[in-house]
Amino acid sequence: MKTISENRCFDGVQGVYSHHSNATGCEMTFGLFLPAEAKDGPVPVLWYLSGLTCTHENAMTKSGAQAYAAEHGIALVFPDTSPRGEGVADHEDYDLGQGAGFYVNATQDPWAPHFQMWDYIAQELPDALGAAFAIDTERQSITGHSMGGHGALTLAMHMPERFRSVSAFAPIANPTQSDWGRKQLGAYLGADEQLWAAHDSSLLMRERGFDGSVLIDQGSSDQFLDLLRPEALSEAMAARRQPGTFRMQAGYDHSYWFVSTFMPDHIDFHAEALWA
C-alpha cells in the first residue's frame, strides 16, 4: 500500500492510496476518508462508486460527503472506476474502456485481462482495507452515482450479507435495455444477454430485491433520463414491494450539484443502518 497524499479533514484524514491489484493486474488508486474515531478503533465504512469518466477523485472533491460522514463517525471509500495504465485496453469512446469499467468481470478480449472490477470491489479492495486501516468490515454499506449507482445496486443485491444498506444517485437502472449498458455489457461479457441480467438492477430487484432498505434519488431534469431508465427500477421496487424510497427530485440534473445536494440524506440513511 502506497500513500499518495494525506490531508486533515473534519478532524479526520482524507487519504489517497495506491496498490497493486491481483484482480485487475495493474496499479489501482483509491481515496479513503477516515473520521477521527478511527484513531480509537475500527469504524463502519460506506462505499461510494463513481460514474462514467470518473476517477477516485471526483466524488472525493465534489460530493461534500466527508463533512457528513465525520458527524456519524463513518469511513468513506472512493475507488477508481476501472483499471488504468500502460497495457490496459481502452477505447476511443468515453463510455467504454478506461473510466468505464461498469463493475463487472469482463470475459471478452481485449478487456478480460484487466477489467475484473467486480472482483476488485467485492473482495480484493475490502480485504486490503481491512488489513491496512481501521475499517470494520462487518459494517459496510454502499452507494454510487450513475454507472456507480448501477454498481452499488447490483453488488448489494448479490451480496446482502455484506452490505447493510444501499442507495444510489441517478443510477443506470436498466442497462440491458439501454445504450448505456447494451454496448458495454456486450463488449465486456459477450453476446449472451442472459449473462447481462445479473448486472441489471431492475431485473435483480424483481428477482430477489434487497434484504434491507433502499434509497434512490433521481433528478427530474437529468439530461440522461432515457439512458438511465429510472422508471424500470421504480416499477420493479413497487412490484416486489421492496422496503425503500424512490424520489424524483424536481429540476435536478445529472451533475455533482445534484449529488452534493442530497448527500446528507444518503449519509444519514446509511448511518442509521451501520450503527444499528
Side-chain angles (χ1 to χ4, degrees), residues 79-266:
D80 203 346
T81 55
S82 79
R84 299 180 192 271
E86 186 177 354
V88 176
D90 202 5
H91 196 277
E92 61 183 7
D93 294 344
Y94 76 95
D95 57 357
L96 187 65
Q98 295 187 34
F102 259 76
Y103 305 102
V104 301
N105 285 340
T107 60
Q108 306 298 301
D109 290 331
W111 314 107
H114 297 285
F115 281 71
Q116 303 296 310
M117 288 299 293
W118 181 278
D119 283 352
Y120 178 68
I121 298 295
Q123 194 61 54
E124 187 178 28
L125 187 53
D127 288 348
L129 291 175
F133 301 98
I135 297 295
D136 185 351
T137 56
E138 297 299 314
R139 290 182 290 170
Q140 300 186 55
S141 293
I142 192 166
T143 187
H145 173 227
S146 193
M147 180 184 72
H150 140 81
L153 289 164
T154 55
L155 280 156
M157 282 187 275
H158 278 288
M159 306 177 70
E161 74 287 353
R162 170 74 60 84
F163 299 108
R164 296 191 177 191
S165 53
V166 61
S167 72
F169 301 85
I172 299 174
N174 192 200
T176 62
Q177 302 302 314
S178 166
D179 287 344
W180 268 0
R182 296 188 62 83
K183 172 183 178 179
Q184 295 83 0
L185 295 176
Y188 296 142
L189 302 179
D192 185 355
E193 295 191 19
Q194 292 185 348
L195 299 178
W196 302 2
H199 298 283
D200 186 308
S201 60
S202 294
L203 298 181
L204 288 171
M205 182 61 70
R206 286 185 177 273
E207 175 189 336
R208 62 179 68 189
F210 179 68
D211 187 18
S213 193
V214 178
L215 173 61
I216 309 293
D217 273 315
Q218 171 63 63
S220 68
S221 296
D222 193 312
Q223 59 270 47
F224 302 115
L225 276 174
D226 290 343
L227 294 168
L228 301 172
R229 292 183 49 81
E231 66 279 3
L233 180 58
S234 175
E235 291 165 3
M237 290 177 66
R240 190 172 180 81
R241 299 178 182 177
Q242 169 69 43
T245 302
F246 187 105
R247 308 189 298 193
M248 290 294 293
Q249 302 291 1
Y252 283 90
D253 60 17
H254 200 69
S255 70
Y256 265 92
W257 300 115
F258 158 66
V259 173
S260 62
T261 298
F262 298 102
M263 183 60 72
D265 293 353
H266 285 244

Side-chain angles (χ1 to χ4, degrees), residues 6-25:
E6 289 183 333
N7 298 95
R8 187 166 175 81
C9 179
F10 297 103
D11 292 329
V13 176
Q14 175 61 63
V16 177
Y17 309 92
S18 69
H19 67 120
H20 177 78
S21 165
N22 291 324
T24 65

